[in-house]
């Protein structure tokens, strides 16, 4: 649709949903009836999603969800774009809405202390506070908070192992104050619950995540450096949630590093220096054909879903 403004809404909530599997079909049907696209994850521990569409349709889905008393206080973050962030609608059932693989961790019972964006600068500027970026390494490459520790993890499930070997645990009477952050807040809720389970008493996390901080804090007062990776076609956003300059490798779905397109390992839609060695010749051939079909569809001004869909994940 030409001249369409797309609203992207990101939201999550940790809440007991014992009937989560039964919610899948009617939720998918409602989203499709409003032509809303994106991904919704459902698990017994709650809901996690990023969806996009015309503003009135996205708001209709949010109203549908909030009509349930368990989700009545569901909060969401909004951003706008002229390009469709997603091209499919999926509702998936999961064991966890964000995967940590540590049984018994419940953010509804033991998450850390919420810190509003306007109070975040003072907290992370305290020399007695250890600031930890809980996101994946390719996300941190694009940007992070000044002075934050990058655990260099490839997935959120690797965070507990990093904590164990980081030296943070120390002796019971020497555990530091810890401030943790992530894209939208969901990983922080689980990571701070994990830290409290490990005996850390003063654990904080950024309420609403990096996205809320970038939306709220003026650039001239910001301690954020770089761009924030997002799991949709925008790839990255900056202050004011303005879309950034980054593009994705269509093979590994990670942002292209500086100079990647000049590398002999880069082939549009097929590989980049980060993933070239991790895909087989057959996979590259399939990707090459997919890219060819995408280019043909583009010439015909058609949408070829398979080649342009970003892989949505937890925030």
């Amino acid at each position: 649709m030409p001249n369409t403004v797309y609203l992207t809404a990101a939201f999550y909530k940790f809440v007991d949903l014992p009937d989560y599997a039964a919610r899948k079909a009617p939720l998918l049907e409602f989203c499709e009836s409003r032509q809303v696209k994106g991904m919704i994850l459902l698990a017994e521990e709650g809901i996690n999603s990023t969806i996009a569409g015309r503003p009135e349709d996205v708001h209709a889905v949010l109203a549908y969800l909030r009509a349930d008393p368990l989700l009545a206080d569901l909060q969401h973050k909004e951003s706008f774009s002229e390009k469709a962030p997603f091209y499919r609608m999926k509702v998936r059932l999961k064991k966890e809405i964000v995967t940590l693989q540590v049984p018994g961790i419940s953010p509804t019972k033991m998450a850390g202390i919420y810190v509003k964006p306007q109070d975040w600068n003072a907290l992370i500027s305290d020399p007695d506070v250890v600031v930890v970026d809980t996101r994946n390494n390719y996300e941190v490459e694009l940007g992070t908070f000044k002075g934050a520790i990058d655990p260099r993890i490839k997935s959120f499930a690797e965070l507990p192992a990093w904590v164990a070997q980081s030296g943070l645990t120390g002796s019971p009477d020497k555990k530091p104050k810890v401030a943790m952050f992530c894209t939208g807040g969901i990983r922080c809720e689980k990571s701070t619950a994990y830290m409290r389970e490990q005996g850390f008493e003063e654990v904080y996390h950024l309420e609403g995540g990096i996205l809320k901080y970038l939306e709220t804090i003026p650039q001239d007062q910001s301690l954020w450096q770089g761009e924030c990776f997002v799991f949709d076609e925008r790839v990255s956003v900056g202050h004011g949630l303005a879309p950034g300059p980054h593009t994705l490798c269509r093979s590994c779905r990670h942002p292209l590093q500086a100079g990647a397109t000049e590398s002999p390992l880069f082939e549009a839609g097929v590989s980049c220096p980060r993933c070239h060695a991790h895909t087989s010749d057959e996979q590259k051939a399939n990707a090459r054909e997919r890219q060819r079909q995408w280019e043909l569809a583009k010439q015909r001004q058609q949408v070829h879903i398979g080649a342009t869909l970003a892989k949505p994940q937890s925030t």
Side-chain angles (χ1 to χ4, degrees):
M1 294 179 290
N3 302 319
T4 297
V5 174
Y6 295 92
L7 168 62
T8 297
F11 55 89
Y12 73 90
K13 182 176 175 62
F14 284 101
V15 58
D16 290 335
L17 296 178
D19 62 340
Y20 71 98
R23 296 169 178 261
K24 177 180 178 178
L27 180 53
L28 177 60
E29 181 180 358
F30 188 86
C31 290
E32 290 180 337
S33 74
R34 301 305 298 240
Q35 297 185 320
V36 168
K37 308 292 173 42
M39 177 76 77
I40 298 177
L41 304 181
L42 294 172
E44 191 168 356
E45 68 177 8
I47 185 171
N48 178 24
S49 175
T50 303
I51 56 174
R54 293 178 301 185
E56 62 269 27
D57 293 319
V58 172
H59 287 142
V61 173
L62 293 171
Y64 171 89
L65 291 167
R66 290 175 179 138
D68 185 329
L70 292 174
L71 301 173
D73 60 348
L74 183 70
Q75 299 182 19
H76 74 281
K77 291 179 284 294
E78 294 189 352
S79 61
F80 294 88
S81 64
E82 295 181 356
K83 182 179 179 181
F86 303 109
Y87 298 109
R88 290 191 183 103
M89 184 66 228
K90 293 185 178 181
V91 179
R92 289 182 173 171
L93 304 180
K94 307 286 283 187
K95 291 183 178 179
E96 302 176 79
I97 56 173
V98 58
T99 304
L100 189 62
Q101 297 181 348
V102 179
I105 299 298
S106 175
T108 60
K109 299 176 182 177
M110 56 188 304
I113 301 167
Y114 293 97
V115 180
K116 294 190 177 299
Q118 55 265 36
D119 299 322
W120 183 250
N121 285 357
L123 175 67
I124 67 173
S125 297
D126 183 340
D128 293 329
V129 174
V130 177
V131 185
V132 180
D133 193 328
T134 67
R135 300 172 302 149
N136 301 335
N137 53 10
Y138 63 87
E139 299 175 73
V140 183
E141 286 178 3
L142 298 192
T144 191
F145 281 106
K146 182 180 179 180
I149 295 174
D150 174 11
R152 301 296 302 169
I153 56 177
K154 295 181 180 179
S155 71
F156 185 55
E158 294 180 2
L159 189 65
W162 176 82
V163 171
Q165 60 83 39
S166 67
L168 288 179
T169 51
S171 59
D173 59 343
K174 292 184 179 180
K175 294 188 188 301
K177 300 177 186 178
V178 178
M180 310 184 96
F181 64 91
C182 60
T183 308
I186 186 170
R187 283 178 278 188
C188 299
E189 292 214 32
K190 217 161 195 184
S191 61
T192 55
Y194 173 77
M195 297 297 280
R196 289 193 61 198
E197 193 270 342
Q198 293 296 303
F200 289 81
E201 295 181 0
E202 293 190 69
V203 187
Y204 305 86
H205 60 97
L206 177 57
E207 185 173 354
I210 301 163
L211 296 179
K212 195 65 178 178
Y213 182 93
L214 293 176
E215 179 186 357
T216 305
I217 304 301
Q219 187 168 358
D220 61 357
Q221 299 175 25
S222 175
L223 295 181
W224 176 261
Q225 300 174 328
E227 298 280 321
C228 177
F229 179 80
V230 289
F231 293 94
D232 59 52
E233 288 293 319
R234 294 171 298 170
V235 185
S236 69
V237 296
H239 286 88
L241 302 183
H246 298 278
T247 56
L248 285 178
C249 169
R250 297 297 172 179
S251 177
C252 64
R253 306 298 190 192
H254 293 172
L256 290 172
Q257 298 165 304
T261 56
E262 284 73 50
S263 169
L265 302 181
F266 174 79
E267 183 178 351
V270 179
S271 67
C272 71
R274 194 197 305 269
C275 69
H276 184 273
H278 303 291
T279 55
S280 65
D281 290 342
E282 181 180 359
Q283 288 172 317
K284 288 184 176 68
N286 290 338
R288 200 168 285 119
E289 175 59 21
R290 183 181 62 196
Q291 179 68 12
R292 189 182 73 83
Q293 292 295 333
W294 178 83
E295 290 173 354
L296 288 173
K298 185 178 180 180
Q299 291 172 9
R300 298 166 185 155
Q301 296 185 328
Q302 299 172 336
V303 173
H304 184 257
I305 294 175
T308 58
L309 179 67
K311 181 182 179 182
Q313 296 187 18
S314 303
T315 59

